[in-house]
Amino acid sequence: MHHFNYSGGHLHCEGVSLETVAGDVGTPCYVYSSATLVRHANVIAEAFRGQSVLIAYSVKANGNLAVLATLAAQGCGADVVSGGELMRARKAGIPASKIVFSGVGKTAAEMALALEQGIHQFNVESAGELRLLSEVAVKVGRDAPIALRVNPDVAAGGHPNISTGKSGDKFGVPWGEAEALYAEAARLPGIRTVGVDVHIGSQIGDLTPMRAAFEKVVTLALRLRGQGHDIRRIDVGGGLGIPYKDGDAPPPPTAYAAMIAEVTAGHGFEVILEPGRVIAGNAGVLLTTALYEKQAPDRTFLIIDAGMNDLIRPALYGAHHDILPLAEPDAGHARKTYDVVGPICESTDKFASERELPEVAPGDRLAFMSAGAYGAVLSSAYNARPLVPEVLVNGDRYDIIRRRPTFEEMTGLEHVPEWLTMEA
Ligand SMILES: *Cc1c(COP(=O)(O)O)cnc(C)c1O
């Protein structure tokens, strides 16, 4: 469910024509729908009504301050994976008491920052991290509330590159070592054990692997309680899939919530959720302009002004994004099959192969749908292209929430050593 629809012959985001935004801001640019973000946050909150739950939005899906502030206003917390994301969440108004810190590579400086801020929970991913966190906590003089992220050895996720819960993945503590590590945590100064954490992957289209993982986690949590650990929280991570194209039917949040209620029933756990894609994915589009059509012997290339540096999901995961023209094609509009490619000097800079679209002319504008998560956050300035701007729509109004940098800003951090300028 999202708020991108044709109205009066033009694709709109809520009450704003995307042609208007493209004309004003230029392309490529991302456009997000406030109403869709809010709706998704509320649908999840509704689904979990009656359960004790913290919705810790996964900042890495889309960390723009205005997006975070929109979700903060809905009561969302944050799941962060770096000190930078922690500061973003705080700056956007998310209280530290609603922030959990995940990730396999936390540094001592990041730990100290999070302790000083007073975050809700560290999701600890290794023995080494646990020991360092203990040292830092003692130094800072604050106990670190921790859950160990366990690796349940369950395969899940829409692509091998986004599976995180198999035994060969780098994430989490090996299943067989979890209990010994909890015992060590109990002995370490500065460490306060509060829960168990798991996150098995992303773009998961089926509840079966999630249920299998959560059942294992609850069993472990109860066993840990039996060993005297104060396990109050189960953090189930994120990973719920979204529809990217017709026919995709990921489990609805209600079914997800019901499954979690069933698996955790009767034990008084606080449930922590870390949804990312399911909140932001269908709340954003990437606007682009067609530049050229180029005929090869066996295919037609449609060359557009967005590249893999702006939206890397197709190149990285073979991901599918629907492509819609901003001007609504009429019933008789010709159709044509294209390879849709960007301007980057890489063969993987391809958004779609043999995609049938309403025929496109140079200058026509298009939207990549479902680009709100893992879009702008993964963008780069490769090929010296300016970082792609972002726009937030709210009803009939919109604002630029990250503008396109100037050439001076893009090169402003660089410095040519004096010895080069002197010899020149
Ligand atoms: C990426 C990530 C999430 C969010 O995943 P989605 O698939 O976007 O819901 C949640 N928790 C952790 C630890 C993650 O790494």
Side-chain angles (χ1 to χ4, degrees):
M1 182 42 221
H2 59 69
H3 291 77
F4 295 90
N5 294 295
Y6 286 109
S7 166
H10 296 282
L11 190 62
H12 280 61
C13 173
E14 303 184 30
V16 174
S17 166
L18 292 173
E19 290 278 14
T20 305
V21 176
D24 178 6
V25 181
T27 58
C29 78
Y30 280 93
V31 182
Y32 309 129
S33 156
S34 303
T36 310
L37 291 166
V38 166
R39 184 192 149 81
H40 289 166
N42 290 337
V43 163
I44 294 171
E46 259 320 298
F48 281 86
R49 188 177 290 277
Q51 299 189 54
S52 164
V53 70
L54 170 65
I55 300 174
Y57 166 70
S58 176
V59 172
K60 81 174 193 285
N62 184 329
N64 184 289
L65 290 175
V67 169
L68 296 179
T70 301
L71 296 171
Q74 300 305 308
C76 287
D79 170 45
V80 303
V81 294
S82 70
E85 285 193 354
L86 171 58
M87 293 313 290
R88 277 184 175 275
R90 295 291 293 118
K91 186 164 179 169
I94 297 176
S97 61
K98 290 185 181 176
I99 296 177
V100 301
F101 194 168
S102 303
V104 295
K106 302 177 195 78
T107 64
E110 288 174 320
M111 291 171 179
L113 173 68
L115 284 163
E116 280 153 10
Q117 294 279 323
I119 66 162
H120 190 55
Q121 177 171 304
F122 289 86
N123 289 333
V124 173
E125 303 219 18
S126 66
E129 182 191 336
L130 181 67
R131 290 164 198 156
L132 179 59
L133 181 58
S134 166
E135 284 173 30
V136 175
V138 168
K139 216 173 286 171
V140 171
R142 287 202 178 185
D143 278 357
I146 68 117
L148 288 185
R149 175 169 174 180
V150 292
N151 184 324
D153 195 17
V154 170
H159 187 275
N161 292 3
I162 50 177
S163 163
T164 59
K166 274 298 283 175
S167 66
D169 295 327
K170 73 175 176 183
F171 299 99
V173 172
W175 190 255
E177 296 168 25
E179 283 177 63
L181 207 51
Y182 271 99
E184 179 173 349
R187 292 191 299 269
L188 283 173
I191 298 292
R192 184 161 51 84
T193 300
V194 294
V196 184
D197 169 49
V198 70
H199 170 74
I200 59 171
S202 198
Q203 186 54 13
I204 300 172
D206 171 10
L207 291 181
T208 313
M210 286 187 160
R211 175 187 280 271
F214 301 166
E215 281 173 348
K216 285 184 83 165
V217 165
V218 168
T219 306
L220 173 66
L222 296 178
R223 204 157 57 228
L224 291 167
R225 274 184 178 173
Q227 293 162 9
H229 301 287
D230 186 13
I231 305 291
R232 291 175 243 169
R233 306 176 189 159
I234 301 282
D235 183 334
V236 296
L240 203 56
I242 63 167
Y244 278 98
K245 55 178 181 291
D246 279 352
D248 284 358
T254 45
Y256 175 69
M259 180 272 285
I260 290 171
E262 219 178 291
V263 172
T264 59
H267 302 301
F269 292 120
E270 176 198 331
V271 173
I272 300 176
L273 311 173
E274 299 171 354
R277 187 190 312 271
V278 73
I279 287 181
N282 283 319
V285 300
L286 172 63
L287 304 185
T288 183
T289 304
L291 297 175
Y292 307 104
E293 180 180 305
K294 174 155 127 178
Q295 197 60 51
D298 61 338
R299 64 193 65 223
T300 305
F301 290 109
L302 180 65
I303 302 169
I304 61 175
D305 71 352
M308 64 187 284
N309 68 300
D310 303 308
L311 175 63
I312 204 172
R313 297 190 66 256
L316 199 56
Y317 313 124
H320 172 100
H321 288 272
D322 278 347
I323 301 171
L324 296 183
L326 298 199
E328 186 173 19
D330 48 38
H333 197 105
R335 296 183 70 82
K336 194 161 176 173
T337 299
Y338 298 100
D339 278 15
V340 181
V341 300
I344 301 292
C345 301
E346 298 280 349
S347 296
T348 52
D349 184 26
K350 179 183 272 192
F351 293 102
S353 295
E354 296 182 22
R355 179 79 62 89
E356 193 191 292
L357 297 173
E359 192 169 6
V360 179
D364 286 358
R365 288 176 176 138
L366 307 167
F368 284 95
M369 306 305 291
S370 311
Y374 307 107
V377 279
L378 275 159
S379 62
S380 78
Y382 186 39
N383 280 198
R385 289 164 53 83
L387 268 186
V388 58
E390 296 170 278
V391 169
L392 184 65
V393 171
N394 183 322
D396 292 330
R397 58 190 172 171
Y398 67 94
D399 206 350
I400 300 171
I401 58 174
R402 185 176 74 190
R403 66 176 172 78
R404 188 179 282 104
T406 63
F407 176 74
E408 276 64 37
E409 286 169 327
M410 289 174 65
T411 51
L413 297 177
E414 295 171 37
H415 169 72
V416 178
E418 228 164 66
W419 69 77
L420 285 173
T421 48
M422 285 171 70
E423 282 160 26

